[in-house]
Amino acid sequence: MAANRWFIDSETGVLTDVLLCPPDYYEWIPSNDIAIQTMAGGGSIDRNILSSQFNELVATLKGADVSCHFLTPHEGMPYEVYTRDSSQTTPFGTVVTSLSRPERVGEEKEIRTFYAPDEIWRTCTAGRIEGGDIHIIRPGLLAVGVSGGRTDTKGAAEFISWFEEAGWTCRMIHFPEHFLHLDVIFCMVAENLAIAAVDVLDEVDLEWFREQGIRILPVTYREAMRDMGCNVLALGRDRVVSPRHSTRINAMLRAEGLTVLDPELNQFSRGGGSIHCMTMPLRRQSLQTA
């Protein structure tokens, strides 16, 4: 099997292949504030609806001409469905990340089963870093979220160093651990356009994004945490997948001229994850050749 079968150099190039995992063993567990609040309020998963929502997401992606690839779900891995975190496709090859939570550590074995050995470019060994914090914004520009929880400074610094060696501009975005990953409060939706919880990100980071030519549409704290409203997936060609319940955000994106595909995913968002978390892009068309 040839090396570098998978490739991305942005969050917004046309998506052709994506990695998912069926939610056979998905559970809400008290490992993040969103799930804790859901469970404290007496919420419970409806597994029939859960399965239907996952199938709707897959159908949405396939309908957008995205080839879907799947990990094998395993009992005892309740968050394996969030494929974003355990690996990261790059322009140089696949990176196996370093997961923080003990219930997720076992996911590395399944990831290494999916990828051919010569497809794995690097393995993260310093500190902790998870894919939800990694944003390969466009060729030459990388942002990595650092909360000190799921991703720490050592893990971010190691990952960033590999891109800096290739001449990329990189930045650590610091935020409270309460928000889990950067993709809970920031996501690219189209080339040079993002949505973000602007009342959460530091002003110096917002200014850095502006200096890179990135315009940010505002999302509220409530939308980010209650609805996982920032946790969306750009498909390229001004298309984005966003949860159906994010009605104001979806209207805002459509007002920008974007096509919004809106599967229902509230069984996942109430557990602390959504579309961006559930999808690891394997291949996008390069923005440099678009």
Side-chain angles (χ1 to χ4, degrees):
M1 188 175 296
N4 293 334
R5 177 170 58 134
W6 308 127
F7 171 95
I8 69 164
D9 63 8
S10 76
E11 281 274 315
T12 59
V14 173
L15 182 65
T16 63
D17 293 83
V18 71
L19 181 63
L20 305 107
C21 182
D24 296 16
Y25 301 105
Y26 176 75
E27 297 287 349
W28 295 336
I29 58 175
S31 62
N32 65 75
D33 286 352
I34 300 169
I36 289 170
Q37 291 179 20
T38 297
M39 296 169 72
S44 61
I45 293 176
D46 184 315
R47 304 210 70 84
N48 289 329
I49 296 177
L50 180 81
S51 178
S52 175
Q53 289 183 357
F54 181 79
N55 291 338
E56 184 180 358
L57 173 60
V58 172
T60 298
L61 292 167
K62 289 182 176 179
D65 296 323
V66 180
S67 295
C68 296
H69 308 260
F70 299 93
L71 296 179
T72 301
H74 291 82
E75 192 170 5
M77 296 186 189
Y79 280 168
E80 191 181 7
V81 68
Y82 297 135
T83 56
R84 175 72 57 162
D85 295 325
S86 51
S87 67
Q88 176 64 57
T89 313
T90 80
F92 320 112
T94 295
V95 174
V96 176
T97 58
S98 179
L99 295 165
S100 173
R101 292 286 305 181
E103 67 272 8
R104 303 203 65 184
V105 171
E107 294 175 30
E108 179 178 341
K109 181 179 179 182
E110 176 63 15
I111 278 295
R112 292 187 181 278
T113 299
F114 175 79
Y115 294 111
D118 60 359
E119 292 174 338
I120 296 175
W121 174 56
R122 304 266 188 164
T123 296
C124 298
T125 59
R128 294 284 181 251
I129 183 167
E130 298 185 351
D133 282 315
I134 298 168
H135 292 248
I136 299 175
I137 295 174
R138 63 174 182 251
L141 188 63
L142 170 73
V144 178
V146 179
S147 68
R150 304 305 177 94
T151 296
D152 58 26
T153 301
K154 286 184 178 180
E158 179 186 46
F159 191 89
I160 283 173
S161 70
W162 301 329
F163 283 74
E164 287 179 334
E165 289 171 3
W168 285 50
T169 297
C170 305
R171 184 177 181 87
M172 292 187 197
I173 307 294
H174 293 270
F175 57 90
E177 186 177 351
H178 168 66
F179 295 102
L180 306 181
H181 292 128
L182 183 58
D183 65 4
V184 174
I185 54 176
F186 172 87
C187 236
M188 298 297 298
V189 293
E191 193 171 354
N192 298 325
L193 182 64
I195 56 176
V198 295
D199 53 349
V200 173
L201 290 169
D202 286 344
E203 182 57 36
V204 292
D205 293 320
L206 292 171
E207 180 59 27
W208 181 80
F209 283 119
R210 288 191 286 266
E211 290 172 353
Q212 310 310 315
I214 297 170
R215 185 162 59 93
I216 294 180
L217 304 174
V219 172
T220 68
Y221 172 91
R222 177 175 293 181
E223 288 170 328
M225 291 297 284
R226 180 194 63 192
D227 300 334
M228 294 295 291
C230 284
N231 201 263
V232 302
L233 178 69
L235 299 179
R237 293 202 296 265
D238 292 332
R239 299 168 300 157
V240 63
V241 186
S242 177
R244 187 170 303 145
H245 56 260
S246 295
T247 52
R248 189 200 70 82
I249 294 172
N250 293 345
M252 178 175 63
L253 295 175
R254 290 182 174 116
E256 291 288 331
L258 301 183
T259 298
V260 178
L261 310 176
D262 56 353
E264 185 55 81
L265 289 169
N266 63 3
Q267 294 294 297
F268 297 94
S269 62
R270 295 176 72 199
S274 192
I275 295 163
H276 198 265
C277 297
M278 296 168 67
T279 53
M280 168 44 62
L282 295 170
R283 178 171 287 278
R284 291 183 183 271
Q285 293 179 12
S286 174
L287 287 187
Q288 292 184 319
T289 58

